[in-house]
Amino acid sequence: MKLQRKSGLRALTVGAVAITGALVLTACGSDNNDSSDNSSSAPSGSASSSTNASSISCAKGQILSSGSTAQQNAMEAWVKNYQQACSGATINYKPSSSGQGIIDFNQGTDAFAGSDSPLAPDEITSSKKVCTGGEGISIPMVGGPIAIGYNLPGVNDLVLDAPTLAKIFNSKITKWNDPAIKKLNPSASLPSTKIQSFHRQDDSGTTDNLTKYLGGAAKADWPYPHAKAWAGHGGQAVAQSSGVASQVKQTEGAIGYFELSYATADQIPTVKIATGASQPVEASSANASAGIAQAKVVGTGSDLALDLSAAYTTKADNAYPIVLVTYEIACDKGNKSDTLPLTKSFLNYIASADGQGQLSSAGYAPLPDAIATKVRSAVTALS
């Protein structure tokens, strides 16, 4: 099996390029369903690369993995740290899309996959063909906020709520000086500029999580079921989160959604969300952690799929409601004998306190302790 991966992206940092082995970067943007080369640039802020090598129980070999690019920055740092600590180990993670990662995993190509949504029932059924005597399980590993970025010169600290966002993304509100936006921003000088909304063209876990929020917090204004494919009316479709961020940055009157790291890297202002808390809530790592802490495990057995619905409607102070959790998809039983040791060793590292400790510096939200404990037990039990 060839480990060569296509690349089309500038490195996030010099250190990210120097990863031992075959971690090759593709264009960033959570969940690009197109596996062809891309030339979009990635966020510049990657997770901290410092780690305690003694905390890693090394294994040797080589494994392929692919999937969500929402976790790309974290995965780059994790792979770099692991391979520096563990000679003889090669971990190749291809950022492609949640959907493509699950396809690769269920075709037996990958040892594990990254996905911004847990496995669907039909995907679990398909996984039984490659997980001999077992099935694919969803293991939460990376949390973070979905930022709503905008381009409206002269307007700072823009505040929106779930119904207004839903109407914007469904083309029911089309001007920036709409009364609904004015009501939420009484002191702002809002122009009559046409709203240019951008959404993902490709099937995306980021879209799935955003539409879960819209459906959960603004049911009357978002009449569509959540899905990886965009269902709203109007707007402009762009490939990958990096593409959405690029369009928002260069288009006056624009609004779009992407992981916080893109807003940070491109200096795109982000919307504060009015949730009913004492103050509108900013998209940040700490505020996302406060939202994710309200999640409930709904998976059965060793599957740790989470229900984030309580986050969508929370009124708790400093709890950001538009969050996603990226999962690593692996076989609970029936993993290939030649890849299982390295898969378990690597997943044990990234679930560890040291691995999770790398996340905040890149705008991610480390797993709450109660969930992290269950994650570590699930990884240890892989066979």
Side-chain angles (χ1 to χ4, degrees):
M1 184 178 295
K2 294 183 179 180
L3 288 176
Q4 183 178 359
R5 296 296 201 190
K6 295 182 178 180
S7 63
L9 176 67
R10 64 177 172 83
L12 299 182
T13 63
V14 174
V17 177
I19 295 174
T20 304
L23 178 65
V24 182
L25 310 184
T26 65
C28 242
S30 173
D31 307 307
N32 169 30
N33 212 32
D34 179 0
S35 60
S36 61
D37 284 353
N38 294 280
S39 58
S40 301
S41 60
S44 60
S46 59
S48 170
S49 60
S50 62
T51 191
N52 180 4
S54 64
S55 69
I56 300 177
S57 178
C58 293
K60 294 184 178 181
Q62 57 185 25
I63 55 176
L64 298 178
S65 56
S66 64
S68 165
T69 55
Q71 66 177 13
Q72 179 178 354
N73 290 347
M75 194 60 70
E76 286 170 357
W78 281 334
V79 171
K80 177 177 182 287
N81 294 341
Y82 188 92
Q83 292 184 162
Q84 285 180 341
C86 303
S87 60
T90 299
I91 300 160
N92 185 300
Y93 181 83
K94 177 185 177 182
S96 53
S97 73
S98 294
Q100 188 60 49
I102 291 171
I103 289 172
D104 292 344
F105 177 78
N106 281 342
Q107 289 179 342
T109 302
D110 291 353
F112 70 91
S115 175
D116 299 344
S117 300
L119 289 172
D122 63 320
E123 293 168 338
I124 294 175
T125 299
S126 295
S127 73
K128 295 179 180 180
K129 298 176 183 178
V130 295
C131 301
T132 307
E135 63 185 23
I137 58 172
S138 303
I139 307 172
M141 200 65 73
V142 180
I146 299 174
I148 307 298
Y150 69 98
N151 182 338
L152 207 56
V155 178
N156 301 315
D157 298 320
L158 182 69
V159 176
L160 298 174
D161 59 13
T164 307
L165 271 175
K167 291 173 185 176
I168 289 172
F169 281 122
N170 203 28
S171 299
K172 299 297 185 182
I173 292 178
T174 60
K175 299 286 186 179
W176 277 111
N177 62 350
D178 186 275
I181 302 177
K182 283 185 175 181
K183 184 177 180 179
L184 291 164
N185 301 270
S187 62
S189 179
L190 295 167
S192 59
T193 306
K194 180 182 178 181
I195 295 175
Q196 304 276 356
S197 67
F198 292 91
H199 58 264
R200 288 287 293 274
Q201 167 184 298
D202 42 323
D203 283 2
S204 161
T206 310
T207 296
D208 192 27
N209 281 277
L210 173 70
T211 56
K212 284 179 181 177
Y213 163 73
L214 294 176
K219 295 178 183 178
D221 299 300
W222 190 259
Y224 315 106
H226 69 83
K228 294 178 182 178
W230 184 255
H233 291 294
Q236 301 175 58
V238 186
Q240 302 188 322
S241 287
S242 57
V244 175
S246 176
Q247 289 299 317
V248 171
K249 184 177 177 64
Q250 70 187 29
T251 306
E252 186 170 333
I255 189 169
Y257 60 94
F258 31 77
E259 292 73 42
L260 180 60
S261 56
Y262 294 94
T264 302
D266 289 334
Q267 298 182 320
I268 299 171
T270 61
V271 170
K272 293 181 179 179
I273 305 298
T275 63
S278 61
Q279 297 290 333
V281 185
E282 182 180 2
S284 72
S285 176
N287 291 346
S289 287
I292 293 170
Q294 301 177 60
K296 295 181 180 179
V297 175
V298 293
T300 58
S302 54
D303 185 272
L304 297 176
L306 299 176
D307 179 359
L308 292 167
S309 58
Y312 305 146
T313 57
T314 183
K315 295 182 180 180
D317 286 345
N318 301 315
Y320 187 75
I322 317 176
V323 293
L324 64 75
V325 171
T326 294
Y327 298 83
E328 310 312 329
I329 308 301
C331 294
D332 58 354
K333 299 176 183 178
N335 287 277
K336 296 177 181 178
S337 59
D338 58 335
T339 60
L340 177 60
L342 181 53
T343 299
K344 285 185 67 173
S345 174
F346 180 67
L347 294 182
N348 267 314
Y349 160 59
I350 68 178
S352 70
D354 186 45
Q356 289 291 302
Q358 310 294 311
L359 295 177
S360 293
S361 63
Y364 295 109
L367 296 173
D369 289 342
I371 296 175
T373 298
K374 293 179 181 179
V375 165
R376 291 161 193 156
S377 295
V379 172
T380 300
L382 297 179
S383 64

